[in-house]
Amino acid sequence: ALRPATLSRSLFSAQQSRFASSLVYLEHKGGKLNDSSLSAVTAAKKVDGNAAGILVGSKSDVDSVLSEAKKIEGLSKIYTASSDAYANTLAENVAPLLASFLPEKGITHFFGAHTAVGKNVFPRLAGALDSSMIADIVALEGEDTFTRPIYAGNAILKIKSSPKDKIKIVTVRTTAFDKAAIGSGAAEVEEVKEVSGDSTTKYISEELTVSSRPDLSSAPRVVSGGRALKSQESFSSVLDPLADALGAAVGASRAAVDAGYADNSLQVGQTGKVVAPELYMAIGISGAIQHLAGMKESKMIVAINKDADAPIFQIADVGLVADLFNAVPELVTQVENA
Ligand code: FAD
C-alpha cells in the first residue's frame, strides 16, 4: 500500500520519492516464473529500494509459481489474482483487474518486462488508467524520468512522465537490468479479488515452437546466421553443429527469416528479439542497423563475413574475413577438440 520512502532508502531525491510504491507484474509460463520479470524487479527497486509483485493466472499456475516468487530478493509482498479468466494472460481480462487494483492500493509505479505479454497488457492498462505508456526503458533517472532507445537504438530518448499521470506504467528492456536474485526471502502473500473482464474475447489456441536449445532471449551464447547461409538446409547443417558445440541458442537476421531459412521466433533485431549474451556470433550477417539494434549490447561479438568492409566488423570484438562454409566447420572441429 501507500508508504513513505525514507531518505536513506530512496535512490532518488527524498522529495521525489515521498510516496513511491512500486509493483512488478510477475510473468510466468507453464508454472514457471519468467526470468525477464526478475529484470523488471531490479528496475522497480530503483524507485525506492523496495517493491511488491503481482502474480495473475489460473489457480494452479499461480500456486506453482508462488513459492519461487516469494523468494525474490527485494519483494516484500506478493499479491495473487487467480481465476480461469486469467489462465492465458488475455490483456482484455488482465488489464481491467490491474486498472481496478493499482489505484486501490496506491501504487505509483507499475513495472513489467518488455515482452509479448508486457507489450500486450501494459498499453491497454495505461489506456484504462488514462496514463501515458512508458515503454522499453533502459534506465531510470528519477522516479518520473526514464530513458529508452529510439531509431533502432541510434538515439536515447529521455522521457519525463506528466505529473497528471498518477501511476507510471513502465515496461523494461530486460537486457539493460540485472536479474534480481531468487534468495531466501519470504514475502507475505495477499489475495486479490477477481474483476470481470471482456467476455467478447476468448482464448482459442497457441502454437509454440519447441526447441531443445536454450531460449534465445536469455541464452548466454547465441550463434546467428544471415542471408549468406543460402537455404534452410544449409542454415541448419552449418549452424546447428556450432550451436551444439557451444551450447548456444540459434538466432537469425531478418533476411534469413524472410527467405524462410529460419523460423520467425529466431529473428534478432529491431523487429525481432533484443539479446545481450556473453557471446554473440554473427555469421554471414552484414550488420544493418536494424540487426545491430537487437544485439549490439552483447558482451563479446564475433563476426564471420567474406567481405572485409561489412559494417558488422565495426562493432565486432573479433572478426574473421572468410567464407563461412569453410570457416564454421573448421571452428566446430576446433571447439570440439578444445
Ligand atoms: P545481407 O545484408 O544480405 O548480408 C549478408 C552478408 O553475408 C553480407 O555481408 C555478405 O558479405 C556476407 N556473405 C555472403 N556470402 C558469404 C559467405 N559465403 N561467407 C561469409 N559471408 C558471406 N534485420 C534484422 O536482422 N533484424 C530486424 O529486426 C530487422 N528489422 C527491420 C526493420 C525495418 C523497418 C527494416 C526496414 C529492416 C529491418 N531489417 C532487420 C533488415 C535489415 O535492414 C537488413 O536487410 C538485414 O539485417 C540483412 O540481413 P543479412 O545481414 O542476413 O543479409
Side-chain angles (χ1 to χ4, degrees), residues 18 20 41 104 129 173 208 233 287 292 335:
R18 270 182 315 153
V41 170
E104 192 184 301
L129 292 172
R173 182 171 289 209
L208 293 176
E233 292 68 36
L292 303 189
V335 173

Side-chain angles (χ1 to χ4, degrees), residues 226-227 253-254 267-271 286 290-291 305-306 324:
R227 196 194 314 265
S253 72
R254 176 158 156 184
Q267 185 175 319
V268 172
Q270 183 187 337
T271 41
S286 59
Q290 295 90 353
H291 187 78
N305 198 302
K306 69 178 183 186
L324 70 90

Side-chain angles (χ1 to χ4, degrees), residues 12 16 18 27 29 48 61 70 86 94 115 121 125 154 183 198 216-217 232 235 250 269 272 315 322:
F12 303 120
Q16 278 182 316
R18 270 182 315 153
E27 228 181 277
K29 183 93 188 160
D48 78 345
D61 278 350
K70 283 198 308 197
Y86 304 143
V94 175
T115 54
V121 172
L125 170 65
N154 283 303
D198 172 3
L216 175 58
S217 301
Q232 190 179 15
F235 191 93
V250 172
I315 63 149

Side-chain angles (χ1 to χ4, degrees), residues 29 57-58 61 83-91 94 117 203-204 206:
K29 183 93 188 160
S58 67
D61 278 350
S83 157
D84 288 347
Y86 304 143
N88 300 295
T89 323
L90 280 184
V94 175
V117 168
Y203 172 85
I204 309 256
E206 162 175 77

Side-chain angles (χ1 to χ4, degrees), residues 95-264:
L97 164 83
L98 297 168
S100 136
F101 173 75
L102 266 51
E104 192 184 301
K105 287 288 174 190
I107 302 300
T108 57
H109 293 72
F110 187 52
F111 288 90
H114 194 68
T115 54
V117 168
K119 290 181 213 174
N120 193 14
V121 172
F122 277 55
R124 183 172 282 264
L125 170 65
L129 292 172
D130 195 21
S131 229
S132 304
M133 174 74 211
I134 300 162
D136 202 17
I137 66 155
V138 293
L140 287 87
E141 292 197 10
E143 72 169 45
D144 61 357
T145 309
F146 308 86
T147 54
R148 57 157 303 188
I150 53 163
Y151 303 131
N154 283 303
I156 298 292
L157 183 72
K158 189 189 282 192
I159 308 169
K160 190 165 165 52
S161 165
S162 160
K164 90 163 181 47
D165 291 351
K166 297 289 178 251
I167 307 177
K168 320 290 177 217
I169 308 293
V170 186
T171 59
V172 165
R173 182 171 289 209
T174 53
T175 52
F177 296 90
D178 291 338
K179 292 177 182 28
I182 306 272
S184 51
E188 78 179 93
V189 179
E190 185 179 321
E191 275 183 44
V192 179
K193 266 205 267 131
E194 183 180 352
V195 171
S196 59
D198 172 3
S199 59
T200 58
T201 306
K202 289 205 168 30
Y203 172 85
I204 309 256
S205 68
E206 162 175 77
E207 277 176 38
L208 293 176
T209 309
V210 184
S211 165
S212 54
R213 292 229 155 74
D215 172 50
L216 175 58
S217 301
S218 55
R221 295 168 184 175
V222 174
V223 170
S224 273
R227 196 194 314 265
L229 269 305
K230 286 196 178 139
S231 71
Q232 190 179 15
E233 292 68 36
S234 49
F235 191 93
S236 301
S237 64
V238 174
L239 295 190
D240 286 359
L242 183 58
D244 289 343
L246 293 169
V250 172
S253 72
R254 176 158 156 184
V257 169
D258 286 352
Y261 307 165
D263 189 77
N264 265 314

